[in-house]
Amino acid sequence: MKVLIIVDAQNDFMPGGTLEVPKGDEIIPVINQILPQFDLVIATQDWHPENHASFANSHEGKNEFETIDLDGIPQTLWPVHCVQNTMGADFHKELKTAPIEAIFRKGTNSKIDSYSGFYDNAHLKSTGLAGYLREKQTTELYFCGLAADICVSFTVKDALNEGFTSYLIQDATRALNAADFAQAKQEIEELGGKIMSSSEI
Ligand code: VGL
Ligand code: ZN
């Protein structure tokens, strides 16, 4: 059973958003086009309270994109993004959301960040996604969304570590940082994941 997991296709990661990924909106028509090829479609949403610890303005005197130590884990400080129930946290308006059966939200704990759709960055708490996918008896997971080098890669690596066969659809994702994405792709391949294009599904 083929599953598509759409990671954080939210307005704040699109051009004009507070944490925009260059050309992030170009993934939307690609995703819409491949949707019918899947037996199950699920999505993740970055879903922060407004005082989230990953926001630079939650730390006096700190700047956006600076890295700090947050309870022993390096934390990049981001502009305010994907605040719960704001337009920035909504899916891109052109994304076809009708086939999405379940949405897994992450980053809801104000004290800890969560890039992966499976676990927070300290691997303390699960979202329940792995158990959901096992109960649905899924076999192949296909990943797309934003940002390629951050939440998409973290999610794919967790999926591989959980034992799922995982594919990253390269033309249905865009990166914030190209070098970080190149490194992440290498790590994904080392874990047994495959980087592919939407025409190969
Ligand atoms: C993301 C940075 C902070 C992402 C989320 O979805 O890639 N990046 N929060
Ligand atoms: Zn976030």
Side-chain angles (χ1 to χ4, degrees):
M1 161 149 128
K2 280 187 177 173
V3 185
L4 181 67
I5 299 180
I6 308 168
V7 177
D8 300 1
Q10 294 165 270
N11 290 324
D12 272 341
F13 300 123
M14 302 291 168
T18 60
L19 184 41
E20 58 185 332
V21 177
K23 303 183 190 219
D25 55 338
E26 291 181 0
I27 69 171
I28 301 298
V30 180
I31 297 173
N32 286 341
Q33 201 202 328
I34 62 179
L35 283 173
Q37 292 174 259
F38 294 91
D39 305 300
L40 174 64
V41 180
I42 68 159
T44 67
Q45 242 177 343
D46 211 32
W47 195 250
H48 298 308
E50 59 188 0
N51 63 343
H52 195 255
S54 74
F55 298 164
N57 73 359
S58 300
H59 305 270
E60 192 143 357
K62 297 289 176 191
N63 297 313
E64 293 174 357
F65 304 103
E66 208 176 300
T67 301
I68 63 160
D69 177 290
L70 187 66
D71 299 322
I73 311 170
Q75 173 71 50
T76 303
L77 295 178
W78 305 109
V80 172
H81 64 277
C82 297
V83 173
Q84 298 169 358
N85 299 309
T86 63
M87 256 189 53
D90 284 346
F91 292 123
H92 187 284
K93 66 175 191 314
E94 254 128 60
L95 178 68
K96 288 188 182 150
T97 55
I100 299 173
E101 279 192 34
I103 299 170
F104 286 79
R105 287 174 167 165
K106 60 193 182 62
T108 55
N109 179 333
S110 65
K111 294 190 171 56
I112 182 157
D113 210 2
S114 198
Y115 292 157
S116 158
F118 290 92
Y119 295 98
D120 61 75
N121 292 1
H123 266 245
L124 292 175
K125 205 185 101 186
S126 154
T127 59
L129 176 55
Y132 173 91
L133 293 169
R134 285 195 189 101
E135 184 172 334
K136 293 275 184 186
Q137 297 179 326
T138 63
T139 48
E140 297 150 69
L141 308 184
Y142 293 77
F143 292 89
C144 62
L146 299 174
D149 47 328
I150 310 170
C151 291
V152 177
S153 295
F154 272 69
T155 305
V156 176
K157 285 190 273 179
D158 273 351
L160 289 162
N161 284 324
E162 288 291 326
F164 294 105
T165 301
S166 304
Y167 303 96
L168 173 56
I169 309 168
Q170 195 162 208
D171 51 326
T173 187
R174 292 288 183 282
L176 213 47
N177 179 297
D180 289 351
F181 185 40
Q183 165 80 28
K185 281 194 282 192
Q186 201 177 324
E187 289 168 14
I188 287 167
E189 284 175 333
E190 280 164 14
L191 288 168
K194 195 170 168 231
I195 316 293
M196 63 181 310
S197 110
S198 61
S199 61
E200 298 174 275
I201 297 166

